[in-house]
Amino acid sequence: MGLFGLFGKKKKIKKIIDNSEHYEYGLEMEKVDLETLEGEELNKYVRVREEQIKESCEMLAKVKEEYKIVSSYLSDIQLIDLLDGAEKNKIVEIAKEIQSLTVDRKIYQTTESKISNGRYILYEKYEDEIPDAVVKLQNDEKYYETVKNDMKMMDATKFEIRCDIKDAQASQRRIKHLSTISIIFLITIFAAFIITNLSLGNDTSRDTAFLVVILVAAIFVVMLLVKLQNIVRVIKESEKKLNRAIMIHNKVKIKYVNIVASIEFQREKYDVVNAYELSHYYGLFLETKRERQKYQQTTQRLNQLLNTLNDILTSLNLYDPSVWQNDIWALIEPKEMVEVRHRYNVRRQKLREQIEKYTESINEAKETLTMLTNKKM
C-alpha cells in the first residue's frame, strides 16, 4: 500500500467516526465465520456469546418488568374510565381543585417578594410593636420640627438681645465721653468765671451770663448722667433677659438632643429614614405575610387533597395511585386521558419490540453455543 493510499484510508475512517451519530445500533451481532475459529479463539468467542446471553437475559428481565408496569398503567386507565358517575365526579372535582391550587401555589412561588427577606425577618421580630412605633415616630418627627423651630426662635431672641446690649453699650460709651467733655467744659466755664471776677471785679450782667451758662451746662451734665443711668439699667435688664433666654434655650436644646437621639434610635432599629417609610415597609410586610400564609394554606390544602385522591385511587386497587398526581389534568379532561393512554401504548409497543429482539438475540446465541459445543466434541 502506498503512502497516498494510507492517508486516503485514514480519511475514510475519520469520516466514518465523524458521522457515527447517524448510525443506529441494534441488538444484531455481526456474523462471524465459525468455521475459521479454533483453539483459544473459539474459547474466547464462546465466552463472549455466554456474556452476551447473560447481559441480554438481565436486560430482558428489566424490559419485561417495565412492560408489566406499563400494562398495569393501561389497566388503571381502563378501570378509571369504567367508574360510575358519582365516584368519577368526585375524583374529577378533587382533581380540579388540585389543579387550581397547584396553579395558585406556582403563582405564589414565582411572585417576586416586595421586601427583602432580611427586612421581613426584622419586621416579623417587631411585628406587634411596629404599629405603635409608626405613631411614635410620626409624633417624634413632628415634635422635632416644633423643637427645631423653638431653637431657631431662641437663637433669634438671643441675637436680638445681644444686639440691644451692644447698642446700649455703644450709647453708654458715647454718653460717658460726652459727659466727660461737658464736665470739663463746665469746670472750664466755672474757672473762667472765678478768674474774671477776681481780675475784673464783679459785674452783674457778666455774672448773670456766666451763671446761666454754668446752669445750662450743669443741667446738660445732669441729663447726661440720668441718661447714662438709664442705659446702665437697660443693659442690666437686657443681660438678665439674655440669661433667661440662654436658660430657656438650654432647656430647649436638651429636648432637641433627646428627640434627635430618640428618632435616630428608632430609624436605626427599623432600618428606615422616616415614619412614612416605616409605615410603607410595614404595609409591604403585612402583604407579604398574607401571601406567605396563603401559600402555606394552599400547600396544606393541596396536600390534603392529594392524600384524599390517593386514598380514593388506592381503594380502586390501582397499580400505582401516586402516578396520577403528575397527570391530574387527565383525570379532568377525557382528551388528555386519551393522550396518556396513547403515550403508554406507544411505550408498551416499543417495549414489546425490545422483548422480541432480546429474545431472538438470546435464542440465536444459544443456538450458536450449541453448535460450537458440538464442534468441540
Side-chain angles (χ1 to χ4, degrees), residues 272-297:
V272 293
V273 297
N274 51 41
Y276 172 79
E277 191 172 83
L278 177 60
S279 177
H280 174 68
Y281 278 132
Y282 183 63
L284 295 180
F285 162 77
L286 293 177
E287 187 175 347
T288 303
K289 183 180 179 181
R290 285 192 295 269
E291 290 177 354
R292 293 190 179 188
Q293 287 174 342
K294 286 180 181 179
Y295 174 78
Q296 292 174 352
Q297 293 169 357

mmCIF file of all heavy atoms in Angstrom, residues 272-297:
data_model
loop_
_atom_site.group_PDB
_atom_site.id
_atom_site.type_symbol
_atom_site.label_atom_id
_atom_site.label_comp_id
_atom_site.label_asym_id
_atom_site.label_seq_id
_atom_site.Cartn_x
_atom_site.Cartn_y
_atom_site.Cartn_z
ATOM 1 N N VAL A 272 -35.056 52.477 58.612
ATOM 2 C CA VAL A 272 -35.825 53.397 57.770
ATOM 3 C C VAL A 272 -35.238 54.794 57.911
ATOM 4 O O VAL A 272 -34.403 55.062 58.776
ATOM 5 C CB VAL A 272 -37.322 53.411 58.165
ATOM 6 C CG1 VAL A 272 -37.967 52.068 57.860
ATOM 7 C CG2 VAL A 272 -37.504 53.759 59.634
ATOM 8 N N VAL A 273 -35.719 55.711 57.050
ATOM 9 C CA VAL A 273 -35.253 57.099 57.115
ATOM 10 C C VAL A 273 -36.292 58.004 57.755
ATOM 11 O O VAL A 273 -35.959 59.112 58.194
ATOM 12 C CB VAL A 273 -34.895 57.627 55.715
ATOM 13 C CG1 VAL A 273 -33.739 56.832 55.136
ATOM 14 C CG2 VAL A 273 -36.090 57.567 54.778
ATOM 15 N N ASN A 274 -37.542 57.546 57.821
ATOM 16 C CA ASN A 274 -38.583 58.352 58.455
ATOM 17 C C ASN A 274 -39.809 57.473 58.744
ATOM 18 O O ASN A 274 -39.841 56.284 58.387
ATOM 19 C CB ASN A 274 -38.990 59.551 57.578
ATOM 20 C CG ASN A 274 -39.319 59.128 56.157
ATOM 21 O OD1 ASN A 274 -39.956 58.106 55.928
ATOM 22 N ND2 ASN A 274 -38.861 59.911 55.182
ATOM 23 N N ALA A 275 -40.811 58.086 59.382
ATOM 24 C CA ALA A 275 -42.021 57.348 59.762
ATOM 25 C C ALA A 275 -42.799 56.891 58.529
ATOM 26 O O ALA A 275 -43.410 55.816 58.546
ATOM 27 C CB ALA A 275 -42.900 58.227 60.652
ATOM 28 N N TYR A 276 -42.800 57.695 57.481
ATOM 29 C CA TYR A 276 -43.520 57.314 56.259
ATOM 30 C C TYR A 276 -42.955 56.011 55.694
ATOM 31 O O TYR A 276 -43.705 55.114 55.309
ATOM 32 C CB TYR A 276 -43.404 58.424 55.220
ATOM 33 C CG TYR A 276 -43.949 58.027 53.860
ATOM 34 C CD1 TYR A 276 -45.321 58.028 53.613
ATOM 35 C CD2 TYR A 276 -43.084 57.613 52.840
ATOM 36 C CE1 TYR A 276 -45.823 57.637 52.369
ATOM 37 C CE2 TYR A 276 -43.572 57.222 51.611
ATOM 38 C CZ TYR A 276 -44.941 57.239 51.383
ATOM 39 O OH TYR A 276 -45.427 56.836 50.159
ATOM 40 N N GLU A 277 -41.625 55.912 55.643
ATOM 41 C CA GLU A 277 -41.003 54.699 55.105
ATOM 42 C C GLU A 277 -41.287 53.506 56.005
ATOM 43 O O GLU A 277 -41.511 52.391 55.512
ATOM 44 C CB GLU A 277 -39.498 54.906 54.967
ATOM 45 C CG GLU A 277 -38.811 53.792 54.172
ATOM 46 C CD GLU A 277 -37.365 54.095 53.861
ATOM 47 O OE1 GLU A 277 -36.507 53.845 54.727
ATOM 48 O OE2 GLU A 277 -37.102 54.610 52.762
ATOM 49 N N LEU A 278 -41.289 53.719 57.320
ATOM 50 C CA LEU A 278 -41.617 52.632 58.249
ATOM 51 C C LEU A 278 -43.028 52.137 58.003
ATOM 52 O O LEU A 278 -43.269 50.922 57.945
ATOM 53 C CB LEU A 278 -41.465 53.118 59.695
ATOM 54 C CG LEU A 278 -41.848 52.108 60.788
ATOM 55 C CD1 LEU A 278 -40.994 50.848 60.684
ATOM 56 C CD2 LEU A 278 -41.694 52.736 62.169
ATOM 57 N N SER A 279 -43.971 53.059 57.846
ATOM 58 C CA SER A 279 -45.359 52.683 57.572
ATOM 59 C C SER A 279 -45.478 51.952 56.235
ATOM 60 O O SER A 279 -46.201 50.957 56.112
ATOM 61 C CB SER A 279 -46.239 53.935 57.565
ATOM 62 O OG SER A 279 -47.577 53.615 57.229
ATOM 63 N N HIS A 280 -44.729 52.446 55.227
ATOM 64 C CA HIS A 280 -44.763 51.832 53.892
ATOM 65 C C HIS A 280 -44.236 50.405 53.929
ATOM 66 O O HIS A 280 -44.879 49.469 53.418
ATOM 67 C CB HIS A 280 -43.931 52.681 52.932
ATOM 68 C CG HIS A 280 -43.766 52.081 51.566
ATOM 69 N ND1 HIS A 280 -44.815 51.948 50.682
ATOM 70 C CD2 HIS A 280 -42.667 51.560 50.945
ATOM 71 C CE1 HIS A 280 -44.376 51.374 49.573
ATOM 72 N NE2 HIS A 280 -43.082 51.135 49.710
ATOM 73 N N TYR A 281 -43.076 50.223 54.543
ATOM 74 C CA TYR A 281 -42.483 48.888 54.605
ATOM 75 C C TYR A 281 -43.321 47.947 55.466
ATOM 76 O O TYR A 281 -43.385 46.741 55.184
ATOM 77 C CB TYR A 281 -41.055 48.969 55.157
ATOM 78 C CG TYR A 281 -40.029 49.353 54.120
ATOM 79 C CD1 TYR A 281 -39.093 50.361 54.373
ATOM 80 C CD2 TYR A 281 -39.983 48.722 52.890
ATOM 81 C CE1 TYR A 281 -38.143 50.716 53.423
ATOM 82 C CE2 TYR A 281 -39.041 49.073 51.929
ATOM 83 C CZ TYR A 281 -38.131 50.070 52.209
ATOM 84 O OH TYR A 281 -37.207 50.417 51.265
ATOM 85 N N TYR A 282 -43.930 48.479 56.509
ATOM 86 C CA TYR A 282 -44.773 47.628 57.354
ATOM 87 C C TYR A 282 -45.980 47.132 56.562
ATOM 88 O O TYR A 282 -46.400 45.980 56.708
ATOM 89 C CB TYR A 282 -45.229 48.395 58.593
ATOM 90 C CG TYR A 282 -46.036 47.546 59.554
ATOM 91 C CD1 TYR A 282 -45.467 46.445 60.183
ATOM 92 C CD2 TYR A 282 -47.371 47.843 59.823
ATOM 93 C CE1 TYR A 282 -46.199 45.664 61.062
ATOM 94 C CE2 TYR A 282 -48.104 47.063 60.696
ATOM 95 C CZ TYR A 282 -47.512 45.977 61.318
ATOM 96 O OH TYR A 282 -48.251 45.196 62.173
ATOM 97 N N GLY A 283 -46.529 47.996 55.714
ATOM 98 C CA GLY A 283 -47.638 47.578 54.854
ATOM 99 C C GLY A 283 -47.198 46.478 53.891
ATOM 100 O O GLY A 283 -47.926 45.500 53.683
ATOM 101 N N LEU A 284 -46.000 46.622 53.310
ATOM 102 C CA LEU A 284 -45.472 45.590 52.418
ATOM 103 C C LEU A 284 -45.210 44.296 53.187
ATOM 104 O O LEU A 284 -45.419 43.196 52.662
ATOM 105 C CB LEU A 284 -44.179 46.061 51.757
ATOM 106 C CG LEU A 284 -44.311 47.255 50.800
ATOM 107 C CD1 LEU A 284 -42.939 47.621 50.226
ATOM 108 C CD2 LEU A 284 -45.280 46.943 49.667
ATOM 109 N N PHE A 285 -44.752 44.433 54.427
ATOM 110 C CA PHE A 285 -44.524 43.239 55.266
ATOM 111 C C PHE A 285 -45.831 42.480 55.489
ATOM 112 O O PHE A 285 -45.875 41.254 55.353
ATOM 113 C CB PHE A 285 -43.920 43.663 56.602
ATOM 114 C CG PHE A 285 -44.037 42.614 57.678
ATOM 115 C CD1 PHE A 285 -43.197 41.509 57.684
ATOM 116 C CD2 PHE A 285 -45.005 42.718 58.668
ATOM 117 C CE1 PHE A 285 -43.314 40.533 58.668
ATOM 118 C CE2 PHE A 285 -45.130 41.748 59.645
ATOM 119 C CZ PHE A 285 -44.279 40.650 59.654
ATOM 120 N N LEU A 286 -46.896 43.214 55.826
ATOM 121 C CA LEU A 286 -48.185 42.568 56.067
ATOM 122 C C LEU A 286 -48.697 41.893 54.801
ATOM 123 O O LEU A 286 -49.252 40.787 54.846
ATOM 124 C CB LEU A 286 -49.202 43.603 56.567
ATOM 125 C CG LEU A 286 -48.933 44.197 57.953
ATOM 126 C CD1 LEU A 286 -49.972 45.256 58.282
ATOM 127 C CD2 LEU A 286 -48.920 43.117 59.026
ATOM 128 N N GLU A 287 -48.501 42.576 53.661
ATOM 129 C CA GLU A 287 -48.940 42.000 52.386
ATOM 130 C C GLU A 287 -48.156 40.725 52.064
ATOM 131 O O GLU A 287 -48.732 39.712 51.643
ATOM 132 C CB GLU A 287 -48.750 43.031 51.275
ATOM 133 C CG GLU A 287 -49.333 42.608 49.943
ATOM 134 C CD GLU A 287 -49.235 43.699 48.894
ATOM 135 O OE1 GLU A 287 -48.953 44.852 49.263
ATOM 136 O OE2 GLU A 287 -49.433 43.391 47.699
ATOM 137 N N THR A 288 -46.842 40.773 52.283
ATOM 138 C CA THR A 288 -46.009 39.591 52.048
ATOM 139 C C THR A 288 -46.367 38.466 53.003
ATOM 140 O O THR A 288 -46.398 37.291 52.607
ATOM 141 C CB THR A 288 -44.518 39.956 52.221
ATOM 142 O OG1 THR A 288 -44.177 41.029 51.330
ATOM 143 C CG2 THR A 288 -43.623 38.767 51.928
ATOM 144 N N LYS A 289 -46.659 38.838 54.235
ATOM 145 C CA LYS A 289 -47.040 37.819 55.223
ATOM 146 C C LYS A 289 -48.339 37.128 54.814
ATOM 147 O O LYS A 289 -48.464 35.899 54.926
ATOM 148 C CB LYS A 289 -47.201 38.464 56.601
ATOM 149 C CG LYS A 289 -47.531 37.462 57.697
ATOM 150 C CD LYS A 289 -47.684 38.134 59.049
ATOM 151 C CE LYS A 289 -48.034 37.113 60.118
ATOM 152 N NZ LYS A 289 -48.211 37.741 61.450
ATOM 153 N N ARG A 290 -49.300 37.930 54.333
ATOM 154 C CA ARG A 290 -50.567 37.332 53.883
ATOM 155 C C ARG A 290 -50.322 36.375 52.708
ATOM 156 O O ARG A 290 -50.926 35.295 52.638
ATOM 157 C CB ARG A 290 -51.552 38.439 53.483
ATOM 158 C CG ARG A 290 -52.168 39.172 54.666
ATOM 159 C CD ARG A 290 -53.336 40.034 54.224
ATOM 160 N NE ARG A 290 -52.912 41.103 53.335
ATOM 161 C CZ ARG A 290 -52.563 42.310 53.754
ATOM 162 N NH1 ARG A 290 -52.573 42.592 55.059
ATOM 163 N NH2 ARG A 290 -52.200 43.243 52.904
ATOM 164 N N GLU A 291 -49.447 36.776 51.791
ATOM 165 C CA GLU A 291 -49.146 35.917 50.642
ATOM 166 C C GLU A 291 -48.479 34.620 51.091
ATOM 167 O O GLU A 291 -48.793 33.541 50.576
ATOM 168 C CB GLU A 291 -48.244 36.664 49.660
ATOM 169 C CG GLU A 291 -48.950 37.800 48.932
ATOM 170 C CD GLU A 291 -48.024 38.573 48.024
ATOM 171 O OE1 GLU A 291 -46.801 38.282 48.064
ATOM 172 O OE2 GLU A 291 -48.498 39.454 47.279
ATOM 173 N N ARG A 292 -47.577 34.731 52.070
ATOM 174 C CA ARG A 292 -46.922 33.526 52.571
ATOM 175 C C ARG A 292 -47.912 32.626 53.308
ATOM 176 O O ARG A 292 -47.834 31.399 53.204
ATOM 177 C CB ARG A 292 -45.759 33.905 53.489
ATOM 178 C CG ARG A 292 -44.612 34.596 52.765
ATOM 179 C CD ARG A 292 -43.389 34.739 53.642
ATOM 180 N NE ARG A 292 -42.286 35.375 52.920
ATOM 181 C CZ ARG A 292 -41.043 35.500 53.392
ATOM 182 N NH1 ARG A 292 -40.754 35.014 54.600
ATOM 183 N NH2 ARG A 292 -40.110 36.082 52.676
ATOM 184 N N GLN A 293 -48.811 33.251 54.040
ATOM 185 C CA GLN A 293 -49.828 32.462 54.732
ATOM 186 C C GLN A 293 -50.742 31.763 53.724
ATOM 187 O O GLN A 293 -51.108 30.598 53.907
ATOM 188 C CB GLN A 293 -50.652 33.354 55.664
ATOM 189 C CG GLN A 293 -49.892 33.797 56.904
ATOM 190 C CD GLN A 293 -50.668 34.789 57.753
ATOM 191 O OE1 GLN A 293 -51.641 35.416 57.272
ATOM 192 N NE2 GLN A 293 -50.280 34.939 58.995
ATOM 193 N N LYS A 294 -51.094 32.495 52.648
ATOM 194 C CA LYS A 294 -51.921 31.882 51.607
ATOM 195 C C LYS A 294 -51.175 30.715 50.963
ATOM 196 O O LYS A 294 -51.774 29.676 50.658
ATOM 197 C CB LYS A 294 -52.270 32.931 50.533
ATOM 198 C CG LYS A 294 -53.304 33.942 50.980
ATOM 199 C CD LYS A 294 -53.585 34.927 49.861
ATOM 200 C CE LYS A 294 -54.614 35.969 50.298
ATOM 201 N NZ LYS A 294 -54.869 36.964 49.210
ATOM 202 N N TYR A 295 -49.870 30.904 50.748
ATOM 203 C CA TYR A 295 -49.067 29.826 50.157
ATOM 204 C C TYR A 295 -49.065 28.601 51.075
ATOM 205 O O TYR A 295 -49.233 27.460 50.607
ATOM 206 C CB TYR A 295 -47.645 30.315 49.928
ATOM 207 C CG TYR A 295 -46.705 29.237 49.445
ATOM 208 C CD1 TYR A 295 -46.712 28.830 48.118
ATOM 209 C CD2 TYR A 295 -45.822 28.620 50.323
ATOM 210 C CE1 TYR A 295 -45.865 27.826 47.670
ATOM 211 C CE2 TYR A 295 -44.978 27.611 49.885
ATOM 212 C CZ TYR A 295 -44.997 27.226 48.564
ATOM 213 O OH TYR A 295 -44.159 26.239 48.127
ATOM 214 N N GLN A 296 -48.880 28.840 52.377
ATOM 215 C CA GLN A 296 -48.884 27.731 53.333
ATOM 216 C C GLN A 296 -50.239 27.052 53.393
ATOM 217 O O GLN A 296 -50.333 25.814 53.399
ATOM 218 C CB GLN A 296 -48.482 28.238 54.722
ATOM 219 C CG GLN A 296 -47.031 28.694 54.808
ATOM 220 C CD GLN A 296 -46.688 29.314 56.139
ATOM 221 O OE1 GLN A 296 -47.565 29.540 56.975
ATOM 222 N NE2 GLN A 296 -45.406 29.609 56.361
ATOM 223 N N GLN A 297 -51.300 27.870 53.422
ATOM 224 C CA GLN A 297 -52.647 27.302 53.448
ATOM 225 C C GLN A 297 -52.926 26.514 52.167
ATOM 226 O O GLN A 297 -53.531 25.433 52.207
ATOM 227 C CB GLN A 297 -53.673 28.420 53.628
ATOM 228 C CG GLN A 297 -53.615 29.097 54.985
ATOM 229 C CD GLN A 297 -54.458 30.359 55.052
ATOM 230 O OE1 GLN A 297 -55.066 30.771 54.051
ATOM 231 N NE2 GLN A 297 -54.504 30.991 56.217
#
